[in-house]
Amino acid sequence: MLARMTSEPEQQIGVGTPDAFQRLWTPHRMAYIQGENKPTGPGADDGCPFCSIPVKSDEDGLVLARGEHVYAVLNLYPYNGGHLMVVPFRHVADYPQLTDEETAELAEFTKRAMTTLRVASGAQGFNIGMNQGSVAGAGIAAHLHQHVVPRWGGDTNFMPVVGHTRVLPQLLAETRKMLADAWQD
């Protein structure tokens, strides 16, 4: 495949004036941009994907592990390969609404996620956090979820800045299997 690559820009008919940029088309992201599968309201029965994931098989829902109060799932629109979320089963929006048991298991699953990502993919660092409320950037504000984003030295490049594009080296099903196999109970 690399033998076919050249430093010359590929000419594409009908896409405007040729320039020095090659295009990496990511049409699958249009579903995210258009809000596909986004809840229609704040209730658990208003199309919440975090409420529907647990009733699917682990493979279909991209679930890595299930606990008593929370589960770990891959992000459908990851910032980096291995980007996962820890989600309470209970439909709750605000962190202070978690029970002590939910809070403890969410913290334990976050620790396990970090260990799993280090073992399975050699992650060197992490961005971990929650966006509480839509004004804070929560894409699905009605159901709390904590992001665990693995990081590696040199994993940032021009693509997100210039092209508003993420380049991910592995399909989600492959990432799910790798991390689920490495998850320690």
Side-chain angles (χ1 to χ4, degrees), residues 38-180:
K38 201 163 189 177
T40 57
D45 295 329
D46 292 330
C48 177
F50 295 132
C51 289
S52 66
I53 288 170
V55 300
K56 298 177 181 179
S57 71
D58 288 354
E59 291 79 12
D60 289 343
L62 299 174
V63 174
L64 304 171
R66 296 171 190 255
E68 185 177 342
H69 303 287
V70 304
Y71 64 95
V73 62
L74 287 180
N75 190 319
L76 277 179
Y77 307 102
Y79 292 122
N80 260 351
H83 176 175
L84 63 89
M85 296 171 291
V86 180
V87 185
F89 287 110
R90 189 166 62 94
H91 186 85
V92 58
D94 201 28
Y95 189 69
Q97 293 174 328
L98 291 177
T99 66
D100 291 344
E101 293 80 11
E102 289 168 329
T103 303
E105 193 172 63
L106 187 134
E108 183 59 34
F109 262 55
T110 300
K111 288 168 51 176
R112 287 184 190 174
M114 292 174 66
T115 300
T116 298
L117 286 160
R118 283 186 177 124
V119 168
S121 68
Q124 298 168 320
F126 299 90
N127 294 113
I128 297 174
M130 297 179 200
N131 299 324
Q132 292 281 268
S134 58
V135 298
I140 300 173
H143 197 132
L144 179 132
H145 52 284
Q146 176 153 280
H147 294 266
V148 180
V149 182
R151 302 299 305 269
W152 299 268
D155 70 359
T156 58
N157 57 41
F158 70 93
M159 292 298 287
V161 175
V162 175
H164 292 92
T165 302
R166 300 271 179 207
V167 179
L168 302 166
Q170 190 174 47
L171 295 173
L172 286 174
E174 294 168 359
T175 303
R176 193 216 69 81
K177 180 167 179 11
M178 178 184 73
L179 296 179

